[in-house]
Amino acid sequence: MQQPVPSISVAMSVYNGERFLAAAIESVLEQTFTDFEFLILDDGSRDATRAIALHYAASDSRIRVIARENRGLVASLNELLAAARAPLIARMDADDVSLPERFARQVAFMTTYPAIGVLGCWTHDIDENDAPYPLNAIDHPVDHRGFLFAIDAGLPLLCHPAVMFRRDLVRSVGGYHPAFSHSEDLDLWLRLATITQVANLPERLLRYRHYNQQVSSRHATEQQTNAAISRIAYAERAAGRPDPTVALTRMPPLKDIDALFGRPGVARAVRALVAPGLLYSRAGLGDNGFAILCQFIREGGNCRGLWRTVVRLVLFGYPLRAAKLALVLAVHRPVAAP
């Protein structure tokens, strides 16, 4: 006998997520809106992730566990998108916590406003111990007009694990693009922005966790670089020009980005977008983000805090990079103020 189609498919991809997984699963099972299927994809974890997921699946028939070898987040998200039976998909990450009314509030809003294709919400930011995480950032835009303004201003748009979207709409644009690894959600929102309306509920319905081992910390430079390229690709589409990233399965090195877009200056524009976000990033200054920052300065780029970053590099344990940055600044910005 065929099971009835649920109202929501909850899509969670997990890789080595045993630390916070139980709390994340329980927050979904405790939703006041109960008509959902819960898809948990174990992306080849080497810890207790699969056992934890199967434990909860054994006692709740709404949970369906998909377990296989590691293929990465984008492949996992697209697999979840293909497996989802419901017309609405609620994203959820294995280290966050949904408040009990989240699904009910989002379903009600999307039912009332069918023109909204993607709906996020505001969040409570927490640390690895569930304590408040101080974050000096503005809240996400609440309507589509504000969303478009935030795109142009380079502001945050949506919190990915807080999002609910219409399944067929996302499938129609090809889902998540693999070339935008660690920034696949931003690329998707920018592609959807021209065919549907996007909004955020001004309610804090998700507890979003910050800690050193999360993806955004471990892949800071790649995430920021791909985010910058996705914004440039958005501008190409808005200007009526072809988007050269649409068929990519992997993003080429930054030195080849001008050739990809067919004109000079694109890589320089990417560095200008990325550099300010690297100044306070221990991970970014410790990986290839440092080379991006130095090249940005050599090209005449400037932003507040460059000289203070020399001190920050010493504090981060990178004295040789601190000396190199000081030399680059002395040569290319000899009169720059701290």
Side-chain angles (χ1 to χ4, degrees):
M1 182 177 178
Q2 189 173 12
Q3 293 182 331
V5 175
S7 298
I8 304 172
S9 294
V10 184
M12 175 191 285
S13 174
V14 196
Y15 176 67
N16 291 343
E18 65 178 6
R19 183 178 181 188
F20 303 112
L21 181 57
I25 291 175
E26 289 174 8
S27 77
V28 171
L29 299 182
E30 292 168 359
Q31 291 293 301
T32 60
F33 187 96
T34 60
D35 183 22
F36 59 79
E37 64 174 355
F38 189 1
L39 308 178
I40 304 176
L41 192 154
D42 173 27
D43 187 28
S45 297
R46 294 169 293 177
D47 62 3
T49 287
R50 186 176 306 181
I52 294 170
L54 290 173
H55 167 77
Y56 283 96
S59 59
D60 196 315
S61 61
R62 294 173 298 179
I63 298 177
R64 177 151 51 105
V65 178
I66 304 169
R68 52 150 172 77
E69 76 284 357
N70 181 259
R71 298 180 192 167
L73 179 59
V74 175
S76 298
L77 291 174
N78 284 329
E79 186 171 343
L80 288 165
L81 186 60
R85 296 187 299 128
L88 294 175
I89 294 181
R91 276 285 291 114
M92 182 65 189
D93 279 349
D95 46 10
D96 300 320
V97 175
S98 285
L99 272 65
E101 292 290 330
R102 177 195 161 189
F103 292 173
R105 298 273 199 242
Q106 289 182 308
V107 169
F109 190 91
M110 297 191 80
T111 300
T112 303
Y113 300 100
I116 300 295
V118 184
L119 179 67
C121 65
W122 291 355
T123 64
H124 291 289
D125 294 281
I126 60 174
D127 65 15
E128 59 188 334
N129 300 309
D130 294 331
Y133 183 89
L135 192 66
N136 185 24
I138 64 172
D139 285 314
H140 296 101
V142 299
D143 57 26
H144 190 62
R145 182 178 178 181
F147 187 82
L148 295 177
F149 174 84
I151 291 175
D152 292 338
L155 299 173
L157 304 177
L158 294 158
C159 176
H160 193 191
V163 159
M164 183 175 287
F165 55 70
R166 301 190 190 277
R167 178 198 63 195
D168 291 347
L169 189 69
V170 175
R171 287 178 176 176
S172 73
V173 298
Y176 296 87
H177 282 179
F180 288 93
S181 180
H182 309 303
S183 192
E184 64 284 332
D185 53 330
L186 175 60
D187 167 67
L188 178 59
W189 313 145
L190 294 179
R191 285 185 283 121
L192 288 169
T194 56
I195 65 169
T196 191
Q197 294 187 29
V198 184
N200 283 280
L201 287 177
E203 302 178 59
R204 303 192 189 282
L205 300 173
L206 181 95
R207 302 179 75 196
Y208 181 75
R209 195 179 304 276
H210 300 260
Y211 60 104
N212 289 336
Q213 293 305 309
Q214 67 188 140
V215 170
S216 58
S217 296
R218 290 183 285 114
H219 303 280
T221 300
E222 184 179 7
Q223 183 182 60
Q224 291 185 50
T225 301
N226 284 348
I229 295 170
S230 71
R231 291 184 181 276
I232 292 172
Y234 169 81
E236 294 292 287
R237 297 190 296 270
R241 294 189 291 267
D243 175 3
T245 71
V246 69
L248 294 179
T249 57
R250 174 178 290 186
M251 195 63 64
L254 189 52
K255 65 182 179 63
D256 297 329
I257 290 297
D258 285 2
L260 176 67
F261 281 84
R263 67 175 188 276
V266 179
R268 182 171 182 169
V270 171
R271 284 188 284 269
L273 289 170
V274 170
L278 293 171
L279 301 187
Y280 300 90
S281 171
R282 178 191 291 266
L285 291 170
D287 62 20
N288 63 322
F290 181 74
I292 292 175
L293 179 61
C294 290
Q295 184 61 24
F296 165 75
I297 297 167
R298 294 188 189 100
E299 291 169 340
N302 190 25
C303 55
R304 292 178 61 86
L306 286 172
W307 278 100
R308 287 193 294 273
T309 303
V310 175
V311 177
R312 201 171 295 117
L313 279 163
V314 174
L315 296 176
F316 286 165
Y318 302 123
L320 293 180
R321 291 193 171 198
K324 182 174 180 179
L325 180 61
L327 179 61
V328 171
L329 286 169
V331 171
H332 295 277
R333 303 207 64 82
V335 297

